[in-house]
């Protein structure tokens, strides 16, 4: 017969460490969260060999007395769950698990002095064996030193990545926490070199310090409220994006999360303006009453469970969409904003010009906004350009430039390389990519028509039966009405299948029904609803509009060019093509003078 025995504490802690303390970054996360919970206003992290051989966290928080020092290394000992209520968690920690877990796999020393106390104390612990409490000269606050992480569980050591990769993860953790707590100063050193420093500042400055200063001028505020839930933050203009999701910072009650539901909503909200593998940069905060969210569902609390996921989903989707619509005629900034100064890693990058924002996949462009007043055609273009354009006057239209009132996108001066339009505005110039611009115009018009006339359905001669799991068939059947609105008529077919009777006419010859149903099913499972069909239709419209657009290489006369400019002014989201590339670049005279170093 097998003998059952109670496992010794040390082993239990090591098992917990296996789950919660995956790498140095995870240890840093737990310790920095403790410092935040302790009310620190300054937190310093010192790493040696990316934290593998030594990591030190110093804070000026409330500290601990000698008795607390002993308790804090005990399993499930915490000061944070005073009411025994798991739905009323106001701190980042609550399980009382981190310190004993870290202590069971490393050599840890904690020095601490409680706020207002005369004496400091220290405690040491080696692989779970407490060495004892001693007096310490520690100033108010706490200093925790962890040496030789995982020396007691060498198997884990083997799974660690290179120093560089581990360091990146530590930086990422600090960035995520720093973004939620801009009022706290953070400093990180690695092998005695300072690698991050964030001074206490306001939320947007902290976000810019972490994302890069271009973010400030290339993002839009996002805000929405409903049912006691507050959604706010900043999201990049569609033209300012990255090839990966690393700059997507999401928070629930100031807790950094990587939640699939939220990531899915974000993707959906940008789908119309950012095609393919492009990701917006965002710092978005959801604040809601504690009892509307369960944070106790993931060992490192990276995921949460919402009481009303659908409300959150709608709030977030509409919040982002209305910001995109409101700023849809802008494209990201190219020239660094002079006023935005901040201290941050990389903050001292040389200010040479031109610099591409974020990634090489992002085409350069310059601020483009419509001030409301600019819509009134009041003033006239001040002066006719002195020099007629080259090209033997073939493409010039200086003759009409003087007759064009001062529209936001100005009047066309010339076309060059058979795809670009140069226009003069009242305070600078605009360059337009005629193909990209036209593509967006056609796309918006097609969507408009679809909205007005509804989605035409086509009845399938042979209805298609798609077999799914019973659960998935249930989920999809629940979305029947929504699917019908998007042009797809389905019915339940036995226990584990659905039958598709009608599909959107526009997709008729272009979609594999089984694939589509499976993709929709995945989506319902992932984010609880089907945005996918509408997205697919939009994607198709985008593709069609791409092919039906003015190709580069077509000569346009002055009238055609100006007509294109006027249509862009009237079209929502005209600042980017369907792939998130800017359709225009605007340079003000100020910008031009800066380029020529006259300022
Ligand atoms: P939890 O954070 O879930 O309570 P931990 O094991 O991380 O569990 O910490 C245990 C306890 O130790 C905390 O509840 C807190 O009272 C105390 N503690 C840990 N770190 C600090 C710190 N930096 N300053 C003051 N108290 C701390
Ligand atoms: Mg903790």
């Amino acid at each position: 017969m097998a003998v059952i025995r109670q496992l010794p504490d040390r082993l239990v802690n090591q098992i917990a460490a296996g789950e919660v303390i995956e790498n140095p970054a995870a240890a840093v996360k737990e310790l920095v969260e403790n410092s935040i919970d302790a009310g620190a206003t300054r937190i310093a992290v010192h790493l040696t060999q990316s934290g593998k051989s030594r990591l030190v966290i110093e804070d000026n928080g409330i500290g601990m007395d000698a008795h607390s020092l002993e308790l804090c290394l005990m399993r499930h000992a915490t000061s944070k769950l005073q009411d025994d209520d798991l739905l009323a968690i106001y701190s980042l920690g609550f399980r009382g698990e981190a310190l004993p877990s870290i202590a069971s796999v490393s050599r840890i020393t904690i020095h601490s002095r409680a706020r207002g106390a005369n004496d400091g104390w220290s405690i040491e612990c080696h692989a779970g064996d407490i060495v004892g409490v001693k007096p310490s000269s520690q100033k108010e606050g706490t200093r925790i030193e962890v040496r030789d992480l995982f020396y007691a569980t060498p198997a884990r050591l083997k799974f660690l990545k290179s120093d560089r990769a581990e360091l990146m993860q530590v930086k990422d953790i600090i960035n995520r926490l720093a973004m939620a707590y801009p009022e706290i100063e953070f400093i990180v050193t690695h092998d005695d070199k300072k690698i991050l420093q964030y001074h206490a500042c306001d939320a947007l400055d902290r976000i810019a310090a972490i994302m890069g200063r271009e973010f400030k001028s290339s993002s839009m505020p996002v805000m929405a409220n409903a049912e006691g839930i507050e959604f706010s933050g900043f999201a990049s203009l569609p033209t300012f994006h990255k090839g990966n999701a690393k700059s997507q910072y999401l928070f629930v009650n100031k807790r950094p999360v990587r939640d699939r539901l939220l990531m899915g909503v974000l993707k959906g909200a940008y789908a119309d303006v950012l095609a393919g593998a492009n990701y917006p940069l965002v710092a978005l905060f959801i604040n809601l009453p504690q009892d509307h969210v369960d944070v106790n569902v993931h060992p490192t609390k990276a995921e949460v469970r919402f009481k009303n996921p659908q409300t959150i989903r709608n709030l977030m989707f509409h919040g982002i969409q209305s910001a995109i619509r409101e700023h849809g005629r802008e494209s990201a900034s190219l020239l660094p904003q002079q006023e935005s100064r901040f201290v941050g890693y990389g903050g001292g990058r040389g200010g040479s010009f031109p610099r591409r924002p974020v990634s090489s996949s992002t085409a350069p462009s310059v601020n483009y906004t419509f001030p409301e007043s600019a819509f009134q055609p009041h003033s006239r273009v001040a002066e006719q350009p002195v020099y007629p354009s080259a090209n033997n006057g073939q493409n010039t239209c200086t003759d009409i430039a003087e007759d064009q009132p001062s529209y936001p996108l100005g009047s066309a001066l010339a076309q060059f390389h058979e795809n670009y339009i140069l226009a003069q505005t009242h305070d600078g110039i605009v360059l337009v990519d005629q193909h990209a611009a036209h593509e967006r115009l056609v796309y918006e018009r097609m969507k408009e028509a679809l909205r007005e006339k509804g989605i035409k359905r086509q009845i399938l001669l042979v209805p298609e039966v798609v077999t799914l799991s019973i659960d998935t068939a249930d989920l999809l059947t629940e979305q029947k009405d929504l699917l019908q609105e998007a042009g797809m008529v389905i019915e339940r077919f036995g226990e584990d299948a659905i039958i598709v009777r009608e599909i959107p006419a526009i997709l008729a010859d272009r979609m594999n029904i089984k694939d589509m149903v499976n993709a929709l099913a995945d989506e319902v499972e992932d984010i609880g609803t089907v945005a996918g069909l509408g997205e697919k239709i939009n994607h198709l419209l985008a593709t069609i509009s791409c092919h039906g657009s003015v190709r580069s290489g077509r000569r346009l006369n002055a009238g055609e060019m100006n007509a294109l400019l006027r249509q862009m002014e009237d079209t929502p989201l005209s600042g980017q093509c369907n792939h998130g590339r800017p359709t225009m670049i605007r340079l003000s005279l100020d910008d031009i003078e800066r380029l020529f170093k006259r300022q």
Side-chain angles (χ1 to χ4, degrees):
M1 190 191 70
V3 180
I4 298 182
R5 68 178 180 122
Q6 186 84 45
L7 295 178
D9 271 358
R10 183 210 310 243
L11 209 57
V12 173
N13 285 331
Q14 287 180 348
I15 291 168
E19 197 172 28
V20 184
I21 310 298
E22 199 184 6
N23 53 15
V28 168
K29 171 176 183 284
E30 293 294 337
L31 298 174
V32 171
E33 287 187 351
N34 281 344
S35 298
I36 294 173
D37 283 343
T41 56
R42 183 177 188 279
I43 300 172
V45 178
H46 305 293
L47 308 162
T48 308
Q49 207 204 342
S50 303
K52 287 179 188 169
S53 55
R54 179 172 169 268
L55 57 91
V56 177
I57 315 285
E58 256 177 314
D59 70 50
N60 61 356
I62 54 171
M64 285 177 274
D65 59 18
H67 180 59
S68 304
L69 267 187
E70 267 180 305
L71 276 180
C72 77
L73 290 174
M74 305 289 201
R75 196 166 168 71
H76 301 313
T78 177
S79 56
K80 301 172 191 173
L81 266 188
Q82 298 297 350
D83 298 329
D84 293 351
D85 184 356
L86 272 177
L87 285 179
I89 293 169
Y90 298 95
S91 50
L92 290 166
F94 56 87
R95 292 194 187 128
E97 222 171 26
L99 287 181
S101 301
I102 296 171
S104 72
V105 296
S106 68
R107 300 177 225 273
I108 189 171
T109 315
I110 308 178
H111 292 264
S112 195
R113 183 158 132 199
R115 209 168 266 172
N118 291 325
D119 314 299
W121 296 92
S122 76
I123 189 168
E124 217 171 303
C125 183
H126 292 175
D129 295 328
I130 294 185
V131 180
V133 179
K134 283 188 287 201
S136 154
S137 60
Q138 173 71 22
K139 55 186 192 290
E140 276 185 13
T142 303
R143 177 190 155 92
I144 299 186
E145 176 168 354
V146 178
R147 275 173 298 129
D148 305 325
L149 191 61
F150 304 126
Y151 91 98
T153 48
R156 179 50 65 93
L157 262 182
K158 293 205 189 89
F159 285 99
L160 293 184
K161 302 201 180 95
S162 68
D163 285 5
R164 229 178 85 95
E166 293 294 342
L167 185 62
M168 290 226 323
Q169 302 222 31
V170 175
K171 281 207 241 176
D172 185 58
I173 288 289
I174 299 283
N175 281 339
R176 284 179 193 274
L177 289 167
M179 202 174 268
Y181 294 89
E183 69 282 7
I184 301 178
E185 177 183 357
F186 289 86
I187 293 165
V188 182
T189 67
H190 182 235
D191 295 340
D192 293 328
K193 276 202 299 283
K194 197 188 278 182
I195 55 168
L196 289 186
Q197 175 158 24
Y198 300 129
H199 295 296
C201 60
D202 68 24
L204 182 55
D205 281 331
R206 178 61 61 85
I207 294 169
I210 292 164
M211 298 262 210
R213 71 170 116 172
E214 294 93 341
F215 185 77
K216 219 170 162 174
S217 51
S218 304
S219 62
M220 52 200 181
V222 177
M223 188 112 57
N225 295 293
E227 298 173 30
I229 304 165
E230 229 176 73
F231 173 58
S232 65
F234 294 85
S236 63
L237 295 170
T239 43
F240 189 65
H241 52 250
K242 265 188 158 178
N244 60 50
K246 285 196 182 130
S247 293
Q248 303 193 332
Y249 295 84
L250 300 169
F251 303 85
V252 175
N253 288 348
K254 294 184 113 186
R255 193 184 284 284
V257 295
R258 287 178 198 278
D259 194 87
R260 274 184 20 197
L261 170 96
L262 304 183
M263 303 285 257
V265 176
L266 186 59
K267 188 162 175 279
Y270 271 86
D272 208 17
V273 282
L274 206 50
N278 293 322
Y279 298 82
L281 292 74
V282 302
L284 296 168
F285 300 83
I286 294 171
N287 287 320
L288 73 178
Q290 306 293 340
D291 59 353
H292 281 43
V293 57
D294 187 353
V295 291
N296 191 24
V297 292
H298 190 270
T300 63
K301 310 175 193 107
E303 284 178 23
V304 294
R305 192 170 296 144
F306 296 106
K307 201 161 121 192
N308 302 316
Q310 197 56 33
T311 316
I312 307 276
R313 193 183 178 278
N314 287 342
L315 191 68
M316 186 165 166
F317 190 81
H318 294 298
I320 297 172
Q321 284 251 302
S322 60
I324 291 177
R325 265 198 307 279
E326 198 177 314
H327 296 264
R329 295 189 189 88
E330 299 172 20
S331 44
S333 161
L334 171 64
L335 289 180
Q337 297 284 299
Q338 277 168 328
E339 78 278 16
S340 57
R341 315 197 82 232
F342 64 92
V343 180
Y345 75 103
R349 286 176 290 190
S352 63
F353 178 86
R355 220 177 47 215
R356 282 172 178 241
V358 186
S359 74
S360 53
S361 67
T362 315
S365 73
V366 172
N367 246 356
Y368 179 68
T369 43
F370 288 127
E372 268 319 303
S373 61
F375 283 105
Q376 272 83 55
H378 47 82
S379 65
R380 306 209 141 218
V381 175
E383 277 171 326
Q384 191 168 340
V386 180
Y387 302 104
S389 76
N391 210 358
N392 299 332
Q394 228 180 5
N395 283 332
T396 68
C397 37
T398 48
D399 47 339
I400 53 134
E402 63 176 340
D403 293 332
Q404 290 281 327
S406 147
Y407 287 113
L409 288 180
S411 52
L413 292 177
Q415 183 190 34
F416 57 96
H417 288 287
E418 302 191 335
N419 184 45
Y420 300 98
I421 298 170
L422 171 65
Q424 177 173 323
T425 62
H426 73 283
D427 72 339
I429 57 167
V430 170
L431 298 176
V432 173
D433 176 334
Q434 73 187 36
H435 175 62
H438 197 244
E439 189 179 311
R440 171 55 75 176
L441 297 182
V442 173
Y443 179 42
E444 289 298 322
R445 215 174 301 145
M446 289 173 76
K447 275 198 307 185
E448 180 73 35
L450 202 65
R451 258 198 304 276
E452 275 170 16
K453 297 191 198 114
I455 296 172
K456 272 232 294 278
R457 293 198 298 266
Q458 178 168 323
I459 298 173
L460 294 173
L461 285 178
V462 186
E464 180 129 358
V465 176
V466 185
T467 313
L468 303 154
S469 74
I470 297 180
D471 285 351
T472 317
D474 278 348
L475 281 173
L476 264 188
T477 315
E478 277 169 29
Q479 305 284 323
K480 211 173 141 181
D481 294 347
L482 214 85
L483 284 169
Q484 178 150 349
E485 250 172 63
M488 189 155 173
V489 177
I490 63 159
E491 264 165 42
R492 188 60 174 263
F493 190 72
E495 278 228 297
D496 61 348
I498 58 151
I499 185 161
V500 181
R501 298 202 176 277
E502 296 176 39
I503 58 170
I506 187 167
L507 296 180
D509 305 322
R510 306 171 203 254
M511 81 177 199
N512 176 318
I513 295 173
K514 269 205 181 76
D515 289 352
M516 186 70 205
V517 170
N518 281 316
L520 290 168
D522 284 349
E523 202 176 48
V524 191
E525 277 172 357
D526 250 20
I527 59 174
T529 185
V530 284
L533 194 57
E535 227 170 75
K536 177 96 185 165
I537 293 172
N538 280 351
H539 183 75
L540 201 88
L541 291 183
T543 314
I544 297 171
S545 50
C546 181
H547 291 290
S549 304
V550 185
R551 286 275 162 199
S552 45
R554 214 192 108 192
R555 291 251 170 105
L556 299 180
N557 66 32
E560 288 171 317
M561 284 191 271
N562 279 313
L564 187 65
L565 296 178
R566 301 295 79 81
Q567 281 179 34
M568 287 176 75
E569 286 157 2
D570 288 339
T571 303
L573 306 175
S574 62
Q576 53 270 307
C577 77
N578 311 330
H579 309 281
R581 285 191 302 272
T583 53
M584 74 184 104
I585 293 172
R586 178 184 156 92
L587 285 171
S588 68
L589 275 179
D590 270 4
D591 294 332
I592 294 169
E593 278 166 10
R594 272 160 70 200
L595 287 173
F596 285 110
K597 312 270 184 242
R598 289 176 69 138
Q599 275 185 4

